Every structure is written in C-alpha cells, then in structure tokens.
Amino acid sequence: GRTAMLFGPAQSEFPQSAPATSAAIAATLEDARAGGIVLVQAMLEPADAAGKTVFAQAGLVQLATLNYMERKPPVTPPEFTLPAGITIQPYSPSTHALFRQAITESYHETLDCPALSGMRDVEDVIAGHKSVGPFDGQLWSVLMRDAKPIGCLLLAEIPARRGLELVYLGLAPSARRQGLGRILMQRILAISSRRHFDIATLAVDASNTPAVRLYRRCGYSSVAQRVAMVKRLL
C-alpha cells in the first residue's frame, strides 16, 4: 500500500543514540520518498517521550494511541443472524469495487484514527490491508443492503500466533447504531472458533470509546498500547 514502517532504538533507554537516529530517519525518509512511498509510520511505547521528540523532529505527527486487545476464541461458535435485507459477500475481483466503496463510506465521521482519513488513496489502503498475513478473500466480508455496500469486515490469519486479526471493521453512517458492529464481532468469534485459531486480536484507537466498549463487551482485554506517528511523503 505504498506505506513503510520505521523502527528505531528506544530513545529513553539509549538517549545517546538520538543524533544518529535522527540522521538515519532523515536518510530513510529520503529513500522512501524516492521509492514512491506515500506514508511512513512509527510505533512507540507511550512512555518513550524522547522517541516521540526524535520522530517529531523528522516531521512525524502523533496519529493516535492504539489499544491492542485480544481474547481466546469460544469453544462453541456463537450464533448470530443478519437483519432482514442484509447480506454478506466475500472478497473477489468481481466484488473489489464494493469493498472500495464500503471502505470509503466508512471513513465519513469515523472515530477510529480520523486524522488518517484522506492521507492515502483507497487502493493503497486496500493493498495495505491485504498484506496483513496471508491474504484469504473468504476472511473479507462486505455488507450489502438494497444492492449497496454499507460496511465491511476485514480479517487476516497471523500464522506465527495461530491468530485471527481484525484488520478493519467499518460501517457507513447509514448503518451505524443498528447493532451491526456487534453482529460482525460475533462473526469473528464464529470464524475463529470454527477454524480453531488460538487467539483473536485487534488494535483500536484508544479514544474511540464506542469501539473499545464494544470490544470489551465481546470479551476482548487490553494487552498493550503503542503511540502511532505518521508522515505523508507524497
């Protein structure tokens, strides 16, 4: 998705590395720009104030504090029913445009990393989501009502953990506050149970109170936090 991730030493632990880190970041950003990278990101420990300063000096701005959450899948898949008139379709080349529209509309008035909206072309967003683990179109779902996409659920297998990651869940404004988010979360648990995953994981903007509340109600617990910083290059 023309996005790159920057990694550096924890500046709070190695303050003497700040000048070298700053020089390395500057050179890396130039290489990334020359290589057609649109967006660079960095993930830092919340307490790493020195690290935030180093990346901020390179032009990265704080996007959000991400709350990492997980839970064990249930032994028995939960049952759920879609409301009348709503259907689900998996990803395929023929449904690509539906996913594109669903993702785009879900960004309207979003509470999940709202500053990120518009920073990337939606095709780059889709490509980035596809790169999270081995891509399986059957793990991607688009919600349809009256032949129009109203939301999507994007999942990815994380083989190293035998995990199922919630990559993205988004609903168009017309589909919010109707219980669809909770139904999609039940779908995640049903898939993780049927496929015998060991863990179900996700990351959410910690300031997105409705989403955090939903995930907790679905049995997820916080395990870590990271501060996300970003810079648009092109």
Side-chain angles (χ1 to χ4, degrees):
R2 297 193 293 172
T3 300
M5 183 69 73
L6 298 177
F7 297 92
Q11 297 302 306
S12 297
E13 297 180 25
F14 305 99
Q16 70 277 11
S17 69
T21 300
S22 295
I25 292 174
T28 299
L29 293 180
E30 287 304 313
D31 288 344
R33 184 180 290 107
I37 296 298
V38 173
L39 194 73
V40 293
Q41 305 178 58
M43 296 292 182
L44 290 82
E45 294 284 349
D48 189 8
K52 296 174 191 176
T53 298
V54 169
F55 281 103
Q57 289 172 344
L60 279 79
V61 297
Q62 186 165 327
L63 175 68
T65 297
L66 298 180
N67 196 5
Y68 290 82
M69 308 178 75
E70 60 184 40
R71 64 156 289 172
K72 293 285 187 181
V75 175
T76 303
E79 296 183 1
F80 61 92
T81 303
L82 291 172
I86 293 182
T87 59
I88 286 180
Q89 295 186 36
Y91 180 89
S92 69
S94 64
T95 60
H96 178 89
L98 299 177
F99 280 85
R100 176 188 174 98
Q101 184 177 346
I103 292 171
T104 300
E105 293 191 7
S106 75
Y107 286 165
H108 292 288
E109 300 178 354
T110 181
L111 298 179
D112 200 59
C113 301
L116 194 58
S117 297
M119 281 194 176
R120 291 183 295 168
D121 181 83
V122 67
E123 290 296 338
D124 287 337
V125 173
I126 293 173
H129 289 333
K130 282 184 175 181
S131 69
V132 180
F135 177 66
D136 180 353
Q138 293 300 311
L139 291 177
W140 281 30
S141 306
V142 62
L143 273 69
M144 304 292 296
R145 180 164 61 196
D146 299 327
K148 296 179 181 179
I150 60 170
C152 60
L153 174 67
L154 315 181
L155 308 175
E157 179 181 357
I158 308 300
R161 298 193 67 193
R162 277 295 302 153
L164 182 66
E165 180 171 333
L166 169 55
V167 178
Y168 183 70
L169 188 163
L171 295 169
S174 63
R176 294 171 189 163
R177 293 178 290 279
Q178 299 170 30
L180 294 176
R182 186 172 182 83
I183 289 174
L184 291 177
M185 293 303 297
Q186 293 301 306
R187 179 174 173 82
I188 295 174
L189 297 179
I191 292 172
S192 61
S193 178
R194 292 193 185 103
R195 294 201 181 191
H196 305 292
F197 286 102
D198 293 336
I199 198 78
T201 70
L202 60 86
V204 60
D205 184 339
S207 66
N208 187 351
T209 303
V212 173
R213 184 185 303 120
L214 170 64
Y215 300 150
R216 291 194 186 281
R217 287 176 177 173
C218 291
Y220 286 78
S221 299
S222 300
V223 294
Q225 283 194 334
R226 295 290 185 276
V227 172
M229 302 186 70
V230 298
K231 178 181 175 68
R232 183 178 171 88
L233 298 181
L234 299 176

